[in-house]
């Protein structure tokens, strides 16, 4: 199945995706893949534009992956806006959209799970059982289906990015993983498809998460006590209106283990609940 509008072609099956990729390969073109779950925002579009600068052709994928949602999570409610997304991708100059149905990705009899030990059990993984197994499984499939030269993932999902780097290294998948800096609203809130769940009052409170982790990261960079910086960040997040914190941690930027040595690259990562919405964010520790 292929739909044509302007220069953007949408395909829903792996054979059509591969035919298009093979035709580009025969022309000697380089290919970037930008996996998404749709409901595209400016952050996604920034990734598409970077993809188009780094490669001759860009493929966006839209697939709301059921395997990465827990039973109590928002799989059914997750925003789906395929025609608006199509227009945005077309305007950004993306050449190919791969938007498979669930049955095409997980046909009857599908039995494989990709599990990355350790990295998937901490931080978000400790609060979302099985989430990263679902992410790793679908990302492995998308990379092998499209076989791009590069694939771009946002730093907003920093643990996901770290896990995908491990996946690609461990399975020798021949692709360069590019981490793209988080795109933020003017008040600092990280762009996310889930921000639409926030009420107006919650939307006004939401930047407290970014402010708190940025202050913690600066305090650590300035030589402040790490435990004290984390405690202050927790208290600021709660004062800012969040009702519950899953974690606020200073971690090694590559291994995600607790940061113990100030000379190592570090990241402050957090997840907290604002009303019914769970927000995550992270920032680099800005050593001078
Ligand atoms: O970050 C996302 O949108 C998803 O986790 C991804 C990488 C597209 C896998 O479903």
């Amino acid at each position: 199945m292929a739909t044509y509008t302007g220069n953007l072609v949408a395909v829903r099956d792996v054979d059509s995706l591969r035919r298009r990729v093979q035709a580009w390969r025969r022309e000697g073109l380089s290919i970037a893949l930008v996996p998404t779950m749709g409901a595209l925002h400016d952050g996604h579009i920034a990734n598409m534009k970077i993809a188009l600068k780094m490669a001759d052709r860009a493929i966006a994928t839209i697939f709301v992956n059921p395997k990465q949602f827990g039973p109590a999570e928002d799989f059914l409610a997750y925003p789906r806006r395929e025609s608006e997304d199509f227009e945005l991708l077309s305007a950004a100059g993306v050449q190919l959209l791969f938007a498979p149905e669930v049955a095409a990705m997980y046909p009857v009899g599908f039995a494989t799970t990709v599990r990355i030990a350790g990295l998937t059990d901490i931080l978000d993984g400790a609060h979302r059982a099985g989430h990263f197994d679902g992410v790793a499984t679908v990302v492995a499939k998308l990379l092998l289906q499209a076989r791009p030269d590069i694939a771009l993932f946002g730093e907003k999902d920093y643990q996901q990015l770290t896990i995908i780097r491990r996946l690609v290294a461990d399975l020798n998948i021949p692709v360069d993983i590019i981490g793209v800096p988080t795109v933020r609203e003017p008040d600092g809130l990280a762009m996310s498809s889930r921000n639409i769940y926030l009420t107006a009052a919650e939307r006004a409170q939401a930047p407290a998460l970014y402010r708190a982790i940025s202050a913690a990261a600066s305090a650590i960079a300035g030589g402040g006590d790490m435990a004290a910086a984390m405690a202050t960040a927790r208290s600021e997040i709660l004062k800012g209106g969040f009702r519950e914190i899953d974690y606020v941690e200073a971690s090694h930027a590559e291994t995600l283990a607790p940061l113990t040595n100030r000379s190592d690259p570090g990241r402050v990562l957090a997840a907290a609940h604002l009303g019914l919405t769970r927000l995550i964010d992270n920032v680099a520790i800005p050593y001078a």
Side-chain angles (χ1 to χ4, degrees), residues 159-270:
Q159 188 175 6
Q160 168 174 281
L161 174 62
T162 308
I163 287 166
I164 291 168
R165 288 193 197 284
R166 183 80 262 155
L167 162 80
V168 160
D170 287 358
L171 298 187
N172 304 106
I173 301 177
V175 62
D176 283 337
I177 299 299
I178 311 291
V180 184
T182 303
V183 180
R184 298 184 179 279
E185 303 286 357
D187 61 8
L189 177 65
M191 289 195 185
S192 163
S193 304
R194 288 190 168 102
N195 290 350
I196 59 158
Y197 296 153
L198 298 170
T199 63
E202 289 163 356
R203 172 63 191 81
Q205 293 169 316
L209 185 64
Y210 173 62
R211 281 198 303 271
I213 59 174
S214 301
S218 300
I220 295 170
D225 179 71
M226 287 200 215
M230 293 303 105
T232 305
R234 280 193 195 92
S235 128
E236 289 302 313
I237 291 166
L238 294 174
K239 266 197 249 157
F242 283 74
R243 69 175 166 79
E244 192 185 338
I245 295 173
D246 282 350
Y247 60 85
V248 183
E249 285 188 29
S251 302
H252 188 292
E254 283 150 27
T255 64
L256 298 187
L259 188 67
T260 47
N261 188 343
R262 279 169 196 282
S263 61
D264 287 339
R267 207 94 200 170
V268 177
L269 302 102

Side-chain angles (χ1 to χ4, degrees), residues 56-178:
D56 300 314
R57 295 288 181 269
I59 306 171
T61 74
I62 295 181
F63 180 62
V64 184
N65 173 33
K67 289 193 183 290
Q68 68 186 76
F69 289 79
E73 293 185 350
D74 57 343
F75 173 65
L76 292 175
Y78 196 85
R80 287 159 173 86
R81 302 197 211 115
E82 216 181 274
S83 52
E84 289 96 322
D85 289 348
F86 192 94
E87 294 309 322
L88 289 170
L89 293 171
S90 191
V94 170
Q95 289 90 2
L96 184 61
L97 167 62
F98 177 51
E101 302 292 348
V102 172
M105 289 298 267
Y106 304 121
V108 174
F110 185 90
T112 299
T113 299
V114 178
R115 171 159 176 71
I116 290 126
L119 267 181
T120 56
D121 301 325
I122 55 174
L123 301 168
D124 247 43
H127 296 271
R128 301 184 70 188
H131 167 67
F132 287 121
D133 296 353
V135 170
T137 302
V138 82
V139 170
K141 279 179 71 77
L142 292 168
L143 293 175
L144 295 170
Q145 287 165 339
R147 282 178 282 170
D149 299 290
I150 61 172
L152 291 85
F153 296 87
E155 286 184 350
K156 153 86 175 16
D157 296 293
Y158 194 81
Q159 188 175 6
Q160 168 174 281
L161 174 62
T162 308
I163 287 166
I164 291 168
R165 288 193 197 284
R166 183 80 262 155
L167 162 80
V168 160
D170 287 358
L171 298 187
N172 304 106
I173 301 177
V175 62
D176 283 337
I177 299 299
I178 311 291

